[in-house]
Amino acid sequence: MLDLLEINLQIMRLFVCFSTAFLHILALEHASIEITSDPFPDDVLTPYKDYYKTKRTHRHVRDCQPIFHGNRTHETLKVPSHLKPGQTFVQVKNFYHRYTRLNKERDVVGHVVTLEDPFRTFSVLEPKEVGGCSTYKRATVAESAQQRKCWVATNAGFFRTKDGKCYGNVFSDGRKVQDSGGVQNANFGIRKDGSILVGYLSEDMVDDEENPFVQLVSGVIWILRNGMVYISESKTAECRETEETGSMDLFADVVSARTALGHDREGRVMIVQTDGKTHHRGIDLYSFARLLLKFGLVNAINLDGGGSATMVVNNTLVNYPSDECGHFTCSRKVSTVVCAHEPDCIPKDCSGHGQCVMGECLCDSHWTGDSCDVLKCRQHNCSSNGKCTTEDGCSCFPGWKGENCSEGCPSGLFGLNCSRECQCQNDGTCDPIDGHCTCTPGWTGAFCQQRCFHGSYGQNCLKICKCPHTCDCDPVTGECPSENNLSMLNSTQRWLHCELDSKMKGTSPKETVVQSNNEKGAKMEEEFSKFFLWFVAVISVCAVSLLANLFLIYLACNQATKKGIRFKRNRKHERLHLFNDDDDEDEDYA
């Protein structure tokens, strides 16, 4: 019996030993899996497993931040528009940086972009095209940058790796693309008044209509706040219950390629990007924050990094992404991008009356002002010599020309836009409005073609000569002829001159033209009356002739009818007479 108990005890000891050994082996295998598995596979640097299962309220974020910030969960900087014409609006600089991590020196390289007047030179763009987020598109930074002809562009917001869905708040050029659905992450935005806002936003702030966002993008981790490293506080505010590929601590500690978006104290937007490959080269967020302070940033958020980190300058890739394409590295297709483009005009279309070139409106010919919204002619009212119109500017009255209708018609021209030629002769001048001629003394007529009639002189020949022995005088001055000239004219010639002039004098040029027109009208009326009388006479003769012919035809027809009737009667009578004769002959024979 004792032997049996000892055997059972030994079997139980062996079972316990084998069970313990098996559990140790399982533990070691599980530990080795945890040690060897990469929390960021394919260099996808994101801390979340399911973005929308990690929703936090804005109050939670407010409660997580240090008490000295009060209830404000964001920082705002008012930025005046200060870009001068011809001023460089964007600068790209390369850097090499050495830093110490875990008592070991590391090197990192990258680029710094500085952007002046960001309200007019900075945009957030959807992937590939407008509507790219709603269709879950992904595109390379170079492809997306073509939308605004970006001088410099980098990757921006995070996205769902399995299908490309955009994450976070997105506003692009004043158009709301999407909101975060209540998920709280660090944001960078520019509002309608030109102010820059960095931090956490409530849903009411995102949808603010009084001062709406023009550009807005979300990242993960607020790196710098008011010139201080804010990573630890931000991790607390953005803490998650479920992580996708690594915890928030590992996400901040791992060396990798990084992209940051922020601003300096002067309100210039700055984009800093480092090259790297997760676990192998690059920089961690804490060292990255110290580098950003060195470059002068005050507020900054962390954008998508790892293999997504891409920078394009003038359509050329300038960094070294970690994704491999055969023997080379290549750009990854990402979600939203941030873009530095040539300055926009305000408004962008120059009020529809000009073209925007490097932030300046080149106005159409009739418009002026910084926004091409002021009609030139309204500034001077067309010098009161024309009408101001939106289509043609100054529409000048007859007799005036020029951009502001301040120039009268030059000599020899008149009418609308001074387009007609004067017909005045003998140094006469024409009216610039209607072209009627003003003759020099001694001349008259509609075109100053007629010398003053004998017995008249002066302007428009309105003055009467007062010479003692003749009605004639100098047509310009009215001076009487000398005795020698007077003796050359006999009494008959002087009588004819005076008789003719007595009929013509006192008639003004306009009256002469009117009289001539009246005479022509009367003559034409007389000729028309004669023609009408002749026309009536001819028609009457033709009518009488026609009636006469019809009457003659009637008489002829009537006579012919009577003759026909008479002929038929005679023929009938002759036949009766013939038959009677035949009967008589038969009786005689019998």
Side-chain angles (χ1 to χ4, degrees):
M1 192 70 176
L2 292 174
D3 294 337
L4 183 59
L5 291 173
E6 289 179 1
I7 293 171
N8 289 333
L9 288 173
Q10 289 179 2
I11 291 173
M12 291 180 64
R13 289 181 187 142
L14 289 173
F15 178 76
V16 171
C17 290
F18 279 114
S19 298
T20 304
F22 181 72
L23 291 174
H24 277 294
I25 291 171
L26 289 177
L28 289 173
E29 287 181 357
H30 183 71
S32 64
I33 291 173
E34 288 188 345
I35 293 171
T36 58
S37 62
D38 187 357
F40 304 107
D42 298 324
D43 205 1
V44 177
L45 190 60
T46 176
Y48 307 132
K49 180 178 180 180
D50 192 327
Y51 183 79
Y52 290 101
K53 286 184 179 179
T54 58
K55 182 185 292 189
R56 297 290 187 184
T57 65
H58 186 253
R59 180 171 183 174
H60 166 80
V61 174
R62 186 181 60 197
D63 293 341
C64 287
Q65 68 182 6
I67 193 172
F68 64 85
H69 290 297
N71 293 327
R72 191 178 70 252
T73 59
H74 61 274
E75 301 295 336
T76 302
L77 177 65
K78 179 67 177 178
V79 182
S81 180
H82 56 270
L83 189 64
K84 299 178 181 178
Q87 179 182 352
T88 301
F89 68 90
V90 61
Q91 294 183 358
V92 182
K93 296 181 179 180
N94 307 327
F95 68 86
Y96 162 83
H97 176 65
R98 174 167 289 183
Y99 69 98
T100 302
R101 172 181 166 79
L102 302 176
N103 298 321
K104 181 179 178 181
E105 289 189 344
R106 288 178 174 268
D107 299 326
V108 67
V109 295
H111 300 84
V112 180
V113 180
T114 305
L115 194 57
E116 302 281 353
D117 201 352
F119 182 74
R120 298 197 293 147
T121 59
F122 174 83
S123 289
V124 177
L125 304 179
E126 294 184 75
K128 185 71 173 181
E129 61 192 7
V130 174
C133 280
S134 61
T135 56
Y136 293 9
K137 274 189 172 59
R138 289 172 60 187
T140 64
V141 172
E143 290 173 336
S144 299
Q146 294 177 8
Q147 299 176 68
R148 288 298 307 262
K149 299 180 181 179
C150 305
W151 289 39
V152 182
T154 67
N155 64 291
F158 289 79
F159 57 94
R160 192 159 60 195
T161 55
K162 65 179 181 180
D163 58 11
K165 178 176 176 57
C166 302
Y167 278 158
N169 297 307
V170 180
F171 277 67
S172 177
D173 292 335
R175 178 177 49 86
K176 181 181 178 180
V177 176
Q178 67 176 45
D179 57 43
S180 65
V183 177
Q184 288 294 328
N185 284 115
N187 295 271
F188 180 94
I190 299 177
R191 308 183 88 163
K192 186 178 181 180
D193 63 358
S195 60
I196 297 176
L197 186 147
V198 182
Y200 302 108
L201 307 175
S202 66
E203 295 181 40
D204 291 338
M205 292 182 64
V206 172
D207 294 326
D208 182 21
E209 296 182 356
E210 292 185 4
N211 188 20
F213 281 98
V214 179
Q215 317 292 342
L216 183 63
V217 66
S218 297
V220 174
I221 299 296
W222 190 351
I223 304 176
L224 297 181
R225 181 172 186 178
N226 277 341
M228 299 175 61
V229 178
Y230 199 68
I231 297 174
S232 298
E233 295 83 350
S234 184
K235 286 194 303 180
T236 304
E238 299 183 40
C239 57
R240 298 298 188 241
E241 296 175 353
T242 308
E243 291 80 18
E244 179 181 22
T245 55
S247 67
M248 191 68 75
D249 289 333
L250 184 56
F251 174 77
D253 290 337
V254 69
V255 293
S256 184
R258 302 285 185 174
T259 305
L261 173 63
H263 67 85
D264 63 8
R265 295 190 182 279
E266 285 72 34
R268 295 175 295 189
V269 166
M270 299 185 70
I271 306 169
V272 182
Q273 192 172 79
T274 65
D275 286 337
K277 184 177 178 64
T278 306
H279 296 304
H280 299 283
R281 61 181 186 275
I283 195 168
D284 63 277
L285 273 185
Y286 296 95
S287 301
F288 194 37
R290 290 188 289 271
L291 178 62
L292 298 181
L293 289 173
K294 180 180 177 181
F295 289 146
L297 278 80
V298 177
N299 288 290
I301 66 170
N302 177 66
L303 298 179
D304 194 6
S308 298
T310 308
M311 180 173 287
V312 172
V313 177
N314 294 329
N315 297 320
T316 301
L317 180 67
V318 296
N319 73 317
Y320 294 90
S322 60
D323 283 7
E324 296 181 357
C325 302
H327 298 292
F328 305 97
T329 61
C330 55
S331 300
R332 174 182 295 177
K333 291 186 176 182
V334 296
S335 181
T336 54
V337 303
V338 289
C339 165
H341 50 75
E342 68 178 48
D344 287 332
C345 294
I346 303 176
K348 293 181 180 179
D349 64 347
C350 297
S351 305
H353 306 129
Q355 184 179 5
C356 184
V357 178
M358 291 300 291
E360 292 186 78
C361 283
L362 302 182
C363 301
D364 296 338
S365 58
H366 307 309
W367 295 86
T368 186
D370 294 338
S371 301
C372 298
D373 56 348
V374 179
L375 269 171
K376 290 182 179 179
C377 53
R378 286 180 181 168
Q379 294 180 315
H380 43 66
N381 196 28
C382 299
S383 305
S384 299
N385 299 319
K387 183 179 180 181
C388 183
T389 65
T390 57
E391 295 82 11
D392 303 319
C394 280
S395 179
C396 300
F397 298 143
W400 298 92
K401 70 171 188 175
E403 185 177 4
N404 55 4
C405 300
S406 60
E407 304 175 31
C409 289
S411 178
L413 298 175
F414 75 97
L416 192 64
N417 295 323
C418 304
S419 57
R420 302 181 62 183
E421 293 185 4
C422 297
Q423 302 297 323
C424 301
Q425 304 174 20
N426 301 308
D427 297 328
T429 59
C430 74
D431 186 275
I433 298 176
D434 59 14
H436 77 265
C437 296
T438 300
C439 302
T440 56
W443 295 95
T444 187
F447 305 111
C448 303
Q449 77 280 8
Q450 177 66 50
R451 204 65 152 129
C452 283
F453 299 112
H454 294 283
S456 62
Y457 75 97
Q459 188 74 40
N460 295 325
C461 304
L462 296 178
K463 296 182 179 181
I464 300 174
C465 296
K466 297 180 180 180
C467 297
H469 302 294
T470 179
C471 64
D472 197 14
C473 67
D474 187 277
V476 177
T477 63
E479 293 181 357
C480 295
S482 62
E483 292 294 334
N484 295 331
N485 293 334
L486 185 62
S487 63
M488 294 177 64
L489 298 174
N490 57 34
S491 59
T492 301
Q493 290 174 324
R494 291 196 298 271
W495 178 83
L496 287 174
H497 288 166
C498 294
E499 186 68 19
L500 177 64
D501 292 343
S502 65
K503 296 180 179 181
M504 301 300 297
K505 67 182 178 178
T507 305
S508 65
K510 291 186 179 180
E511 290 175 345
T512 303
V513 175
V514 172
Q515 181 179 359
S516 176
N517 291 336
N518 291 337
E519 290 177 355
K520 290 180 179 180
K523 186 175 182 181
M524 290 181 64
E525 185 176 356
E526 182 181 357
E527 291 179 355
F528 178 77
S529 299
K530 291 179 179 179
F531 175 77
F532 180 75
L533 292 175
W534 277 103
F535 177 75
V536 172
V538 171
I539 293 297
S540 300
V541 171
C542 291
V544 171
S545 176
L546 178 61
L547 292 173
N549 288 330
L550 291 175
F551 182 72
L552 291 175
I553 291 172
Y554 169 75
L555 292 176
C557 290
N558 188 30
Q559 186 176 3
T561 303
K562 289 180 178 180
K563 286 182 178 181
I565 294 171
R566 193 181 301 116
F567 177 75
K568 287 181 179 181
R569 288 178 179 176
N570 291 335
R571 290 284 294 177
K572 185 176 181 180
H573 180 73
E574 288 176 358
R575 287 179 180 176
L576 292 175
H577 181 71
L578 180 60
F579 289 147
N580 292 332
D581 289 345
D582 289 341
D583 293 338
D584 292 340
E585 288 179 0
D586 290 339
E587 292 176 358
D588 292 337
Y589 180 73

